[in-house]
Amino acid sequence: MTLTEHELPKTRSGEPRAFFGRRSGKKLHGGQKAQVAEILPRFEIALAEQLDPRALFPEADRIVIEIGYGGGEHLARKAAEQPGTGFIGCEVFTGGIGKMVQAIEANDLENVRLYTDDALKLLMTLPEASVDEVYLLYPDPWPKTRHHKRRFVSPTTLDQLARVIRPGGVFNFATDIEDYADWTLAHILRQPSFIFAPQAPGSWHTPYPGWQPTRYERKARREGRMLSFYFSFPRQAV
């Protein structure tokens, strides 16, 4: 497969897109819907031509993005553990947004902002070297070969991640799908801004320090997928 076949599909206006699929499942119940309607506007990011994350978190010592936070367990926990860090969570699924809004309210998380559209749009508006760390945990693997171009990891998205992550920052990627792990490594090795330098063969199966399994990981284990890949790719220093 050639590199051009890994490029993202385009919108009708010719812009690359990185999100595919549904945005909602079960409808939010009345209480959830009211809570989201009341709280989300205080934390939701509205894009302009350029978004400076430091303006969102003027006192933060670090900026971290989680793309596709799902139910929000990892994002909410990290935000509670690191109150001095500004966290931006990207999710389009309404159920996940509702759960994250509930977590923000329950834990009084003032260091979180939410973006509810295609994460690539957000990345394209951020200044260069404006982010310290990015998480992409258990993204949709799009297992059918004809759908591989829908995977979030692509030359386009990695170019944007390389642009916005500061030198010395980190891109973290986790999956339980070996084919997606291979796909990601192949793309990383073509992207000179990121480093793949594991401490030892197989060390990528060791969870991140302080890791707690997400609900997607627990589901994978129940379905018999017992091995995950936890990659961390440092951004090449200038």
Side-chain angles (χ1 to χ4, degrees):
M1 183 176 291
T2 64
L3 185 60
T4 55
E5 289 176 300
H6 290 195
E7 293 287 355
L8 288 170
K10 304 291 194 296
T11 64
R12 290 182 178 178
S13 62
E15 298 174 340
R17 57 182 295 202
F19 171 75
F20 304 87
R22 62 178 186 164
R23 292 175 180 262
S24 63
K26 294 181 180 178
K27 291 184 179 181
L28 299 176
H29 61 66
Q32 284 180 311
K33 188 180 294 185
Q35 191 175 35
V36 169
E38 177 186 356
I39 298 170
L40 181 59
R42 292 168 36 210
F43 296 91
E44 187 173 13
I45 293 173
L47 287 189
E49 290 186 4
Q50 188 170 73
L51 174 70
D52 182 0
R54 293 290 171 181
L56 298 174
F57 308 103
E59 298 182 3
D61 52 16
R62 298 175 70 246
I63 302 294
V64 176
I65 296 176
E66 182 168 341
I67 296 172
Y69 55 76
E73 321 88 296
H74 179 265
L75 179 59
R77 179 172 60 83
K78 284 289 188 180
E81 292 173 351
Q82 302 175 29
T85 297
F87 287 88
I88 297 175
C90 302
E91 180 60 67
V92 301
F93 188 60
T94 54
I97 295 168
K99 289 179 180 179
M100 190 62 216
V101 166
Q102 290 179 316
I104 288 172
E105 178 75 357
N107 298 284
D108 195 23
L109 301 176
E110 293 294 330
N111 59 330
V112 178
R113 297 295 181 271
L114 304 179
Y115 183 63
T116 60
D117 202 345
D118 188 334
L120 180 58
K121 294 180 182 179
L122 175 73
L123 294 176
M124 294 175 71
T125 66
L126 295 176
E128 293 185 11
S130 59
V131 175
D132 295 274
E133 193 166 11
V134 174
Y135 286 93
L136 179 62
L137 305 176
Y138 291 94
D140 193 325
W142 291 104
K144 294 181 180 179
T145 301
R146 69 177 183 272
H147 291 157
H148 282 181
K149 62 185 178 181
R150 297 184 177 186
R151 289 173 168 176
F152 188 85
V153 173
S154 74
T156 301
T157 52
L158 288 181
D159 285 349
Q160 288 299 319
L161 288 170
R163 187 182 63 80
V164 304
I165 297 175
R166 65 167 177 80
V170 181
F171 169 45
N172 301 297
F173 172 86
T175 183
D176 62 302
I177 306 299
E178 186 171 4
D179 177 67
Y180 202 174
D182 293 340
W183 166 282
T184 299
L185 280 178
H187 281 74
I188 284 288
L189 293 175
R190 293 186 181 108
Q191 168 48 261
S193 296
F194 288 108
I195 301 169
F196 176 56
Q199 294 180 346
S203 60
W204 46 81
H205 294 308
T206 301
Y208 304 120
W211 174 256
Q212 293 182 20
T214 66
R215 65 191 180 102
Y216 293 104
E217 183 170 296
R218 291 193 294 270
K219 179 182 177 181
R221 301 296 182 261
R222 290 196 301 270
E223 294 177 353
R225 299 189 298 278
M226 307 308 294
L227 200 62
S228 289
F229 300 79
Y230 307 90
F231 293 118
S232 291
F233 305 112
R235 173 69 167 82
Q236 189 85 258
V238 176

